[in-house]
Amino acid sequence: MTNANPPLPDPLLDVPALAGLLRDDPPPVLLDVRWRLSGPPGVESYRRGHLPGAVFVDLDRDVAGPPGPAGRHPLPEPDAFEAAMRRAGVSGDRPVVVYDDADSTAAARLWWTLRYFGHEPVRVLDGGYRAWSEAGRPVTTEEPEVEPGDFRARPARLPVLDAAGAAALARTGTLLDARAPERFRGETEPVDPVAGHIPGARNAPTLGNVGADGRFLPPALLRERFAGLGATGGAEVGVYCGSGVTAAHQVLALTLAGVPAALYVGSWSNWIADPANPVATGDA
């Protein structure tokens, strides 16, 4: 039996491939989503230098809704995300390429959000701005004039979890926690007011998906990594983190490994908003 739907393109592309695409007419829409959980906002990095033609997208303002009980980075409202992507020039089926500093953490959240809202032709520059600049490719401080796009937000195109769904999946499938081990164990919590993890979750730190250069590990190594955690193509898999950003990176890594996964967008920051939700600590 053949699949009636054509396979999606590789979600990653490297520097030479992007350089070739940027010579197309028209080129892909290029989005810079550099972001830091703490420290200077990403727009400052953008203004110091970015890929020619890139438009800055603010992760906190454009790719997430206002923080609150739904989490620190909940899904944006469809109208708000649609407007933000139109301002950035996203249109119809025109390809989009997203990048961040190096490890694709923020880029993966924008990759996931665009696909959730129905825009399939989106890819991530593996290694981000660092890979581009270290390859000697041109950068600029000039901000492009953007022709507004006609992007239309069509939500619910990817699977998501809420708190009840995450709790159920931790019992019946594989729920991965993408945070650092010390946060998973509850030894420290630098961001949220409660430390620990969802009972039954398994720790799979996002940084384990990439090498020292910020590029993703080969798919075979990612498959091996996730198989050891019970995340295989035959399992029901979900991912969460602190606020749904690094968990999107985990979904991208799982995609490279051939494992579909649902994202708990509200993640830990939503889980602990309800004091009735249990909290586990330690490695178990």
Side-chain angles (χ1 to χ4, degrees):
M1 173 182 276
T2 59
N3 190 338
N5 297 317
L8 292 174
D10 187 331
L12 297 182
L13 77 169
D14 60 16
V15 167
L18 176 58
L21 290 177
L22 292 179
R23 292 192 288 268
D24 288 350
D25 186 18
V29 176
L30 190 57
L31 303 180
D32 182 316
V33 66
R34 280 180 281 179
W35 170 81
R36 296 179 183 178
L37 182 61
S38 60
V43 69
E44 294 184 10
S45 297
Y46 173 81
R47 289 169 178 158
R48 288 194 297 268
H50 52 267
L51 276 63
V55 179
F56 181 72
V57 172
D58 189 298
L59 186 144
D60 293 313
R61 181 193 65 210
D62 301 328
V63 193
R72 284 186 282 110
H73 289 103
L75 273 170
E77 290 297 323
D79 288 350
F81 186 68
E82 179 175 285
M85 293 301 99
R86 288 187 175 192
R87 288 194 301 270
V90 178
S91 289
D93 294 328
R94 186 177 174 187
V96 174
V97 176
V98 300
Y99 71 88
D100 56 25
D101 274 319
D103 64 11
S104 300
T105 298
R109 172 61 188 253
L110 181 51
W111 167 85
W112 184 90
T113 308
L114 276 163
R115 293 188 62 229
Y116 174 85
F117 282 106
H119 195 82
E120 287 288 359
V122 54
R123 302 171 77 183
V124 173
L125 174 61
D126 197 16
Y129 180 83
R130 184 198 303 170
W132 180 269
S133 58
E134 288 181 350
R137 301 287 179 170
V139 298
T140 183
T141 58
E142 182 178 347
E143 299 187 22
E145 294 185 9
V146 181
E147 181 178 347
D150 61 7
F151 170 76
R152 183 165 62 90
R154 296 163 292 164
R157 300 305 177 100
L158 290 178
V160 294
L161 296 170
D162 58 11
L169 188 57
R171 296 190 300 268
T172 63
T174 301
L175 181 66
L176 300 180
D177 183 318
R179 296 174 301 162
E182 60 272 18
R183 292 182 71 190
F184 176 83
R185 292 192 295 263
E187 297 167 356
T188 183
E189 182 44 68
V191 185
D192 292 304
V194 178
H197 61 266
I198 298 173
R202 305 177 189 187
N203 192 211
T206 287
L207 287 179
N209 298 327
V210 299
D213 58 2
R215 293 177 174 88
F216 279 91
L217 300 179
L221 291 182
L222 291 172
R223 279 193 294 273
E224 182 180 350
R225 179 188 192 217
F226 291 125
L229 293 161
T232 64
E236 189 177 0
V237 180
V239 187
Y240 76 96
C241 58
S243 67
V245 176
T246 58
H249 187 281
Q250 197 83 292
V251 172
L252 175 52
L254 285 157
T255 300
L256 295 170
V259 180
L263 177 63
Y264 179 14
V265 184
S267 285
W268 185 246
S269 56
N270 169 249
W271 180 266
I272 60 173
D274 184 350
N277 286 332
V279 171
T281 57
D283 287 317

